[in-house]
Structures are given as structure tokens and as C-alpha cells.
Amino acid sequence: MSASDRETHPLGELTVVAVHIDDSTTTPKILLEGTFSGPVPTAVSLLGTRQRLTGELVTTEGTWRADVPLLVSRWQSLPMAPRSGAYRLQAETEQGVAAVRVAAALPTAALVKNVCRIALHESADASGRQTLVVDFAAPLTATEFGAEQQARLETQYRQAAYQPLDAVFFESFFGQSASCNPLAIDRALAELRPDIARYWSVADASVTVPEGAIALLEGSEEWWRIRGCARLLVINDWTRKKFKKRAYQTVLQTWHGTMLKKIAMSRPKFRPRAAVATIRERARWDILLSENPYSSRIFRSAYAYFGPIWEEGYPRNDVLRRGDGAALRRKLGIPDDVTVLLYAPTWRDNRPEQVDHLDVAAFANTLGPGYLTLIRGHSRTLRPGHDVYAANVLDVTSYPDVSELFLAADALITDYSSVMFDYTVTGKPVFFFVPDLDNYRTKLRGFYFDLIEVAPGPVVRTSGELVSLIRDRDQLSADYAQKYAAWQKRFNPRDDGDASRRVVNRLLAQRMIG
């Protein structure tokens, strides 16, 4: 390599000259080959926003090869497909990240059966450097994939005269995970009535479903069919516009949190078109699950909902009474002598891609050794946001179920998120970090009550103040004991560990399933 080449690419350059997709075995891979100049590459990865696929790299004199597996284990799960999204090829050397260019004819879009759809193209990053980009999507078949096929399947779904099926269709956060209240209800149903079929709507093949349940890929023919014939649907967000309710179907809306911030039609500057969509959506719900009387009153007004509300506590909080935090710490590789802080902020309507309002890297560095900060973004930041990598920080935004993280944490740091109402079931300390409190309260969303007045923990605006308070948690718990007890009485009156069983027993008793 010439001196001018070294100046142009001081960290080296990787050239991709061949790309193959190998789905001939039970362990499908993307096979990449090429040449390099400058420092020898030490790692080749496909880097997504919340996931890294690392290739098995082999280098020889000036050439390289990387086999990138398409089934990988996350959080000690079974090997699963990558999350949908764009993944950029990144090459690393001992000196840093190398330049990448593509000198290959890229394959046309491919389907790896039951794993993913793959499309490849070149694209420039923020600095203008070109690289290979691999787009992963759900593995819909040729008769399911694309706008034309989905329009056909939707028409069939709307026109079909399905026979009722004694089964449950579950969906959580639009199929991005099998979690929250629907997961707890699934577990109780599996215990009480294992004979009833349980189907889970999943956004892609990266989503793990509970044992004994059947995954339904959103948009697949079977997804449309089961959605139309299952007698019971258990959801925690909107059904979305494609849903057509049959007379024999019951929709249990579990929702996904007690609210501090204003929702639906009580939000400031709520547009008339959005109000019409809200009314249309809530008309599909037969039962609304509420954690407490406070939430019930808000649901009545914010959604103009006049149907049955079941105040049974939140099923997703049952695990907080019965679960094992030490087991999850071992699963995440957290030592017993480390203080675990869970930072779980809500999303911002005006900045959905921003998760970290605390700067957890600097925060963790200030706290020093003996502390580990888990950062957990809102479900709406799962795709637009990026994982945080820093010392004594573990990004758990993509961890399937936040309730388990509550068990592992010694204290919670949040802002306006509904996690504040769940975490207090544990009795452990809560800190409120609210640097944008005035703007959020008066302009962006608005609150249903004055957080500062009733908060079961300190409300702070600077990370320095937060660090000092965390180091004095024991005294803090004593100082806030009275407010904490009043909070639990108001918001957690039925979070006793049996909410999911109560809900399932009511469903069975009223013949909505079984």
C-alpha cells in the first residue's frame, strides 16, 4: 500500500467483493468475502440500532471472510432471528474502525424461511463513508409480502365468515415483545386452562413467545385468520385500523400503565381527527383493565369509555410479589455486591429517538465502582433509539419484560413514566430525574396531578443532586416512608400477586373463553 493510501485510510480499508446468503442448513448465515489494505481487521459486524451480529472472521494475506449468523441468542434466549431494521457493515482493526466499500454485485432480496427477509444496498453514514447495509424484515412469504398482498389478505379477512375458535389472540406493544399484562394473563391461563390455545402476534421472528404458545407473524395468512376467529383478544395498546370485530369476539384492553402524563383526548391540543380515531378505537373494547380507581376515572374521561372496567390490579405486577430478583441478576451477569439502578425514562413526543436524558455514561462514571446502571427506554424508542455503551452501564431497552428488571434493581430512576406506579409494589426507593419538568408539564404533555406534592421519592433536576441522594438511600427511604405508603394505598391497592388469576377466572366465569 502506498503512502497516499495510508493517509487516505489510516485505519485501513475493507472491500466487499462477494456476498452470499446460505440458508442450506439449520444455522443460516450471510457469507461476506473481500480484501483489505492497511491494518488487519479484527472484527466484522452488522450493526443495528439495538443489536450487533458479529461474524466469524478469517483473514489471510490481504483477504478476509466473515460468516455472520442469522440466528443469535440475546439475554440467554434460544437463538432467534435479528430484529427488523437496517444493519450497517462495520470493520474494526486494532487502530479503530476501518473504511468499508463495496465492489460486489449485491444479491437481490432473499427470503430465509421462518427467519427473515433480506435486502442489501450501499449507503453512506453520517460522515459520508459508504458501506454495506443489510435490511432485515419479517419472513413473510411471496403471497404475504408487500402492499398488494396485504391489501388482498385484508380484504379476505374483512369478507370472511369465520367459525369461532376457542382460542386467545395476544398482542403486546404492537407485537414488538411478548410482555406486560398480556404475558401475565397468558401465564395464568396456561396454568388454569392449558387446553385453550394461545396465539401471540409478533412483529417479526426475533420475538420469543411463552412456552406452549404459538407465534403468529404479523401480516401472515395465519395471523389474519386467527385474528378473525379467536373468541378472545388480549391487547395492551390500540387494535389498529385493520381490525374488524366479530360478534363472537371479546376484546380485553389491558392498557400498559397507570398515568401521570395526560393521554388520549385529555392531551393538550388534541386534534379533531385524532379524537375521531380515539372514539372509533375505544368502541372496539369490551373490557378495560385498570390498576386502580384513579386510573378508572381517567379512562372514563380520556377515552369517553363507558363499558366495563375491571379494577383487579395489574397482572404484570404479580411477578413483583412472587419473582426472584437474584435469578435475573445471575442471568444478566450482575455480581451480588453491586448496587443496581434502573433508569427508565418515558419517551418525548417531540424527540422519540432520544432515550438518555440523564447521560448515564457520565452519571455512572461519577457514581464510581460498586454501581451498575441499567437503562431502559420506552417501547416507542425501541426502533428509533440506539443502545448506550459505557462502563458500568447496561442497556436493557430490548430486554423482553421490564417487570423482571424491577426485581433486579435496588432503586428506580424515572421521570414521567408509568413505571413509577409499578415499581412501588416492590417497596424499593424511587428517584425522579426531571430536567425538563416545566416544559413537559406545561407544553408537551401535561399532568393529572402535581408530582412534586405526592411523589414517593425525591424530584430532582440535576444529575449531581441525584448522585448525592442515591448514595444516601437508607435515610431517604425513612424520610419518604409516609408519602410512599400513601402512594401505595392510592395506586397499588390490588397489586397483591393474584391479579392475573383474578382476570382469567372472570373471563372463564363469564364464558368469554373456555
Side-chain angles (χ1 to χ4, degrees):
M1 185 175 65
S2 68
S4 61
D5 284 335
R6 283 193 296 272
E7 290 173 1
T8 304
H9 305 295
L11 303 180
E13 181 180 77
L14 207 73
T15 301
V16 180
V17 299
V19 181
H20 304 283
I21 298 169
D22 181 7
D23 60 353
S24 61
T25 69
T26 56
T27 56
K29 302 174 181 177
I30 295 179
L31 311 179
L32 303 167
E33 298 179 44
T35 61
F36 67 88
S37 58
V40 178
T42 56
V44 172
S45 305
L46 292 176
L47 189 62
T49 58
R50 298 286 182 187
Q51 191 169 8
R52 181 193 295 265
L53 305 178
T54 301
E56 183 179 337
L57 178 65
V58 176
T59 60
T60 55
E61 191 67 33
T63 66
W64 64 275
R65 173 190 172 98
D67 296 353
V68 182
L70 295 178
L71 295 175
V72 294
S73 176
R74 296 206 75 195
W75 314 115
Q76 298 188 15
S77 70
L78 293 173
M80 302 293 288
R83 285 186 174 276
S84 295
Y87 290 65
R88 305 180 64 82
L89 180 64
Q90 179 172 287
E92 299 174 24
T93 70
E94 290 185 354
Q95 284 74 25
V97 177
V100 174
R101 69 183 185 91
V102 179
L106 299 176
T108 56
L111 169 65
V112 180
K113 187 177 180 181
N114 299 326
V115 178
C116 58
R117 296 189 74 90
I118 298 174
L120 301 97
H121 63 278
E122 288 184 77
S123 181
D125 62 16
S127 64
R129 295 191 307 180
Q130 292 291 117
T131 190
L132 174 68
V133 176
V134 181
D135 289 311
F136 293 112
L140 297 174
T141 66
T143 59
E144 300 166 338
F145 180 72
E148 183 177 339
Q149 297 299 339
Q150 284 300 301
R152 177 182 60 83
L153 291 171
E154 182 181 353
T155 298
Q156 291 179 358
Y157 159 79
R158 292 190 174 281
Q159 295 176 350
Y162 295 115
Q163 292 299 310
L165 178 66
D166 199 32
V168 186
F169 177 98
F170 290 94
E171 185 175 84
S172 179
F173 299 118
F174 304 138
Q176 292 187 100
S177 63
S179 62
C180 195
N181 291 315
L183 175 61
I185 293 171
D186 173 289
R187 297 293 76 200
L189 182 63
E191 177 188 347
L192 296 170
R193 287 293 302 273
D195 58 306
I196 296 176
R198 294 171 288 109
Y199 294 89
W200 275 86
S201 169
V202 297
D204 56 34
S206 73
V207 180
T208 304
V209 301
E211 183 179 355
I214 302 167
L216 296 173
L217 197 64
E218 181 179 343
S220 66
E221 293 188 43
E222 189 70 350
W223 180 85
W224 285 107
R225 186 182 74 84
I226 296 298
R227 201 168 182 241
C229 64
R231 287 184 55 212
L232 176 63
L233 294 92
V234 179
I235 60 174
N236 75 343
D237 215 315
W238 283 30
T239 56
R240 292 174 282 177
K241 64 182 180 181
K242 297 176 182 178
F243 179 65
K244 177 185 176 182
K245 185 180 174 186
R246 270 65 179 180
Y248 51 79
Q249 291 186 308
T250 297
V251 175
L252 171 59
Q253 171 61 266
T254 74
W255 204 240
H256 48 265
T258 289
M259 60 296 292
L260 163 68
K261 58 190 179 185
K262 291 187 176 180
I263 62 170
M265 291 186 291
S266 59
R267 291 174 59 172
K269 300 179 182 179
F270 200 64
R271 299 184 305 275
R273 182 178 295 182
V276 171
T278 300
I279 296 298
R280 183 183 299 120
E281 169 62 24
R282 66 96 165 108
R284 297 167 176 161
W285 306 342
D286 295 288
I287 308 162
L288 184 53
L289 192 61
S290 172
E291 186 176 13
N292 47 54
Y294 160 84
S295 295
S296 299
R297 290 191 296 272
I298 292 173
F299 283 134
R300 291 287 188 211
S301 60
Y303 276 99
Y305 179 79
F306 305 106
I309 292 182
W310 290 1
E311 289 177 6
E312 296 290 0
Y314 258 0
R316 71 184 186 187
N317 291 339
D318 288 350
V319 68
L320 303 183
R321 296 290 189 184
R322 302 173 180 272
D324 182 3
L328 182 59
R329 283 185 177 225
R330 290 191 296 270
K331 182 178 179 179
L332 297 177
I334 301 172
D336 293 338
D337 59 349
V338 169
T339 297
V340 178
L341 307 172
L342 175 61
Y343 174 49
T346 192
W347 69 300
R348 302 305 195 269
D349 304 64
N350 59 342
R351 290 180 295 169
E353 77 288 346
Q354 184 176 350
V355 178
D356 185 7
H357 305 273
L358 174 61
D359 188 354
V360 292
F363 171 74
N365 183 62
T366 302
L367 277 173
Y371 292 89
L372 174 68
T373 302
L374 308 178
I375 178 170
R376 170 75 175 198
H378 189 277
S379 63
R380 294 186 187 274
T381 67
L382 185 60
R383 297 205 185 280
H386 293 264
D387 276 2
V388 176
Y389 298 93
N392 299 320
V393 174
L394 178 61
D395 198 309
V396 290
T397 300
S398 62
Y399 190 82
D401 194 8
V402 70
S403 297
E404 294 184 6
L405 300 175
F406 294 155
L407 287 172
D410 295 299
L412 172 70
I413 304 168
T414 189
D415 45 20
Y416 323 113
S417 171
S418 66
V419 298
M420 66 177 74
F421 301 99
D422 303 296
Y423 193 77
T424 49
V425 175
T426 69
K428 293 183 286 190
V430 182
F431 300 84
F432 298 87
F433 178 70
V434 291
D436 59 344
L437 176 64
D438 295 334
N439 181 67
Y440 199 95
R441 176 175 52 193
T442 61
K443 297 180 180 179
L444 194 58
R445 260 302 180 94
F447 296 155
Y448 288 112
F449 61 84
D450 185 345
L451 177 64
I452 295 177
E453 182 180 333
V454 302
V459 180
V460 302
R461 303 190 189 216
T462 69
S463 59
E465 186 179 3
L466 183 61
V467 167
S468 299
L469 291 169
I470 284 172
R471 288 173 172 161
D472 195 19
R473 294 189 312 283
D474 292 341
Q475 180 59 49
L476 202 70
S477 295
D479 293 343
Y480 279 87
Q482 197 168 13
K483 279 191 171 183
Y484 206 113
W487 179 283
Q488 288 176 314
K489 183 178 180 180
R490 182 182 182 187
F491 298 117
N492 306 124
R494 302 213 72 190
D495 289 319
D496 56 5
D498 286 318
S500 54
R501 292 175 64 91
R502 286 195 296 270
V503 171
V504 170
N505 281 326
R506 288 185 74 166
L507 292 168
L508 293 170
Q510 297 186 30
R511 303 295 296 170
M512 294 171 179
I513 192 66

